[in-house]
Amino acid sequence: MAEARAVYITATAAFLPNAPVGNDDIEAVLGRIGGRPSRARRLVLRNNGIESRHYAIDPASGAATHTNAQLTAAAIRALEAPGFALDTLECLATGTSLPDQLMPNHGVMVHGELGTPACEVVSTAGICLAGMTALKYAWLSVLAGNSRNAVASGSELASAVMRAAHFEAENEARVDALETHPEIAFEKDFLRWMLSDGAGAFLLQDAPRPDAPSLRIDWFELSSQAHAQPACMYAGADKDADGSLRGWARFSAAEWGRRSIFAVKQDVRQLNEQVVRQTLEIPLASLIARRGLKADAIDWFLPHMSSAYFRQPVADCLARLGCAIPPERWFTNLAQRGNTGSASIFIMLDELVRSGRLRRGQRLLCFVPESGRFSSGFLHLTVV
């Protein structure tokens, strides 16, 4: 019987644009809608635990400093491993929530930015899980022997749609209501204090690197609860009175601005009520049964959390499932890097690898939830 193939993450890299922006300086960079400070800002920041984040915006001029494709390419160029050069790349898989354009796809724009020779290029769509779906494609490509190496990336340029200028048309259209309610709808304002920019990338190969530890991908699980839940986080659409989602093409061009159709929106009540159960409790209960997953066999738990608000509910859920992982084995950089969506797991794992805290034989469980329509991804790694 042929020996099972294995795939290894042999290099990690991240790119965060410009200097970190502290909480008191966010509106100076993103701008104030209607010239007024947000009333939601302090409330959201008090709960999300984020202290600083990065934006691809020049704080002095307000000009954009990078496109999403440029952020991604910068992270990929930082990948280094013995015997590997970008010119030998065989498969590129990219994931992002907000590509620079509707067409062509993000992956080919990144490939063009890199300027490397012809290779297979795939781009996955979604929200926080888009980076994980790209990573799974890259893993399967190497695992199947389709390619000897692959690069997967996650990237976000959330600042591009969070600038105050993008909400001015809606602000002006609602001038009467704004006399008494000067803030934009909370479902939109909420995310302006949650999301930020960044990119990360992994190199996957069919053998571990000889000079330093690699991360063997043991298993990789993705699941969706969309059959049971309506959309919770969305952009390029709006919800009708009956809760159904109406896409941007069914609005007139004039309505796109007046209703901020392309703004990222989130049903915060649905998020708080459903995200832990739908993205963690239900799929993890199945995983524990099928994979024999036990807390004492996990050395590092890397959860993507959009907000520190969810830390205790996640811990409580793990305890209910009999898989309580002690807090000293959690690794997160939410406070310093913010919520970078699909890039978060790449940036987080890169930071853990570079910390020097990993030891051969240790096992890692990465968890990425997505509130779009409640999906999640679990990735199990072993340091070799």
Side-chain angles (χ1 to χ4, degrees), residues 336-373:
Q336 294 77 37
R337 308 303 181 199
N339 177 3
T340 53
S342 67
S344 69
I345 197 65
F346 292 85
I347 297 171
M348 208 182 332
L349 187 57
D350 177 64
E351 203 163 303
L352 178 57
V353 168
R354 293 177 191 279
S355 74
R357 300 164 71 184
L358 292 180
R359 300 288 180 268
R360 293 185 195 277
Q362 289 186 333
R363 285 157 292 194
L364 288 67
L365 179 65
C366 304
F367 162 54
V368 178
E370 175 180 302
S371 63
R373 205 157 170 172

Side-chain angles (χ1 to χ4, degrees), residues 297-360:
I298 299 169
D299 298 288
W300 293 101
F301 178 50
L302 285 78
H304 163 55
M305 293 183 291
S306 61
S307 166
Y309 173 83
F310 292 112
R311 186 180 180 106
Q312 191 58 49
V314 168
D316 292 344
C317 179
L318 292 175
R320 283 197 302 276
L321 294 172
C323 192
I325 301 171
E328 62 270 19
R329 285 193 255 147
W330 291 40
F331 185 89
T332 172
N333 56 9
L334 177 69
Q336 294 77 37
R337 308 303 181 199
N339 177 3
T340 53
S342 67
S344 69
I345 197 65
F346 292 85
I347 297 171
M348 208 182 332
L349 187 57
D350 177 64
E351 203 163 303
L352 178 57
V353 168
R354 293 177 191 279
S355 74
R357 300 164 71 184
L358 292 180
R359 300 288 180 268
R360 293 185 195 277

Side-chain angles (χ1 to χ4, degrees), residues 178-189:
L178 289 167
E179 289 296 327
T180 51
H181 300 288
E183 69 280 9
I184 59 170
F186 183 72
E187 65 194 15
K188 301 167 190 169
D189 198 21

Side-chain angles (χ1 to χ4, degrees), residues 262-308:
F262 289 95
V264 182
K265 298 169 274 286
Q266 188 156 47
D267 184 328
V268 180
R269 176 175 296 179
Q270 184 188 9
L271 173 75
N272 291 342
E273 291 176 351
Q274 298 293 339
V275 69
V276 172
R277 172 158 176 73
Q278 301 294 338
T279 66
L280 180 62
E281 188 162 2
I282 293 174
L284 187 58
S286 172
L287 270 179
I288 289 172
R290 287 190 294 110
R291 298 283 185 182
L293 199 62
K294 295 180 179 177
D296 59 7
I298 299 169
D299 298 288
W300 293 101
F301 178 50
L302 285 78
H304 163 55
M305 293 183 291
S306 61
S307 166

Side-chain angles (χ1 to χ4, degrees), residues 94-328:
T94 67
T96 186
S97 305
L98 294 165
D100 297 312
Q101 63 291 308
L102 292 176
M103 297 183 281
N105 75 51
H106 182 58
V108 296
M109 297 304 290
V110 173
H111 184 211
E113 190 71 29
L114 291 169
T116 50
C119 65
E120 180 176 355
V121 176
V122 169
S123 191
T124 62
I127 311 178
C128 296
L129 209 56
M132 287 285 270
T133 52
L135 178 58
K136 185 158 188 176
Y137 185 94
W139 171 57
L140 292 174
S141 178
V142 179
L143 189 68
N146 180 68
S147 54
R148 290 167 298 178
N149 65 55
V151 164
S153 69
S155 62
E156 297 298 349
L157 189 67
S159 66
V161 296
M162 296 192 307
R163 292 168 175 267
H166 291 310
F167 299 93
E168 291 302 332
E170 179 181 6
N171 200 35
E172 292 173 6
R174 298 175 59 201
V175 65
D176 292 338
L178 289 167
E179 289 296 327
T180 51
H181 300 288
E183 69 280 9
I184 59 170
F186 183 72
E187 65 194 15
K188 301 167 190 169
D189 198 21
F190 167 74
L191 289 167
R192 295 187 78 222
W193 320 116
M194 300 287 285
L195 306 176
S196 51
D197 302 340
F202 296 162
L203 171 64
L204 281 64
Q205 294 180 286
D206 57 3
R209 59 188 294 166
D211 63 328
S214 300
L215 297 166
R216 187 186 65 222
I217 297 177
D218 301 318
W219 50 261
F220 201 147
E221 300 266 3
L222 302 173
S223 67
S224 164
Q225 299 296 323
H227 64 293
Q229 288 292 318
C232 175
M233 184 174 180
Y234 50 96
D238 210 353
K239 278 193 174 180
D240 287 333
D242 64 359
S244 60
L245 207 61
R246 180 153 47 122
W248 61 272
R250 296 176 61 199
F251 292 93
S252 68
E255 286 179 300
W256 295 347
R258 286 202 304 267
R259 299 179 61 161
S260 298
I261 294 299
F262 289 95
V264 182
K265 298 169 274 286
Q266 188 156 47
D267 184 328
V268 180
R269 176 175 296 179
Q270 184 188 9
L271 173 75
N272 291 342
E273 291 176 351
Q274 298 293 339
V275 69
V276 172
R277 172 158 176 73
Q278 301 294 338
T279 66
L280 180 62
E281 188 162 2
I282 293 174
L284 187 58
S286 172
L287 270 179
I288 289 172
R290 287 190 294 110
R291 298 283 185 182
L293 199 62
K294 295 180 179 177
D296 59 7
I298 299 169
D299 298 288
W300 293 101
F301 178 50
L302 285 78
H304 163 55
M305 293 183 291
S306 61
S307 166
Y309 173 83
F310 292 112
R311 186 180 180 106
Q312 191 58 49
V314 168
D316 292 344
C317 179
L318 292 175
R320 283 197 302 276
L321 294 172
C323 192
I325 301 171
E328 62 270 19

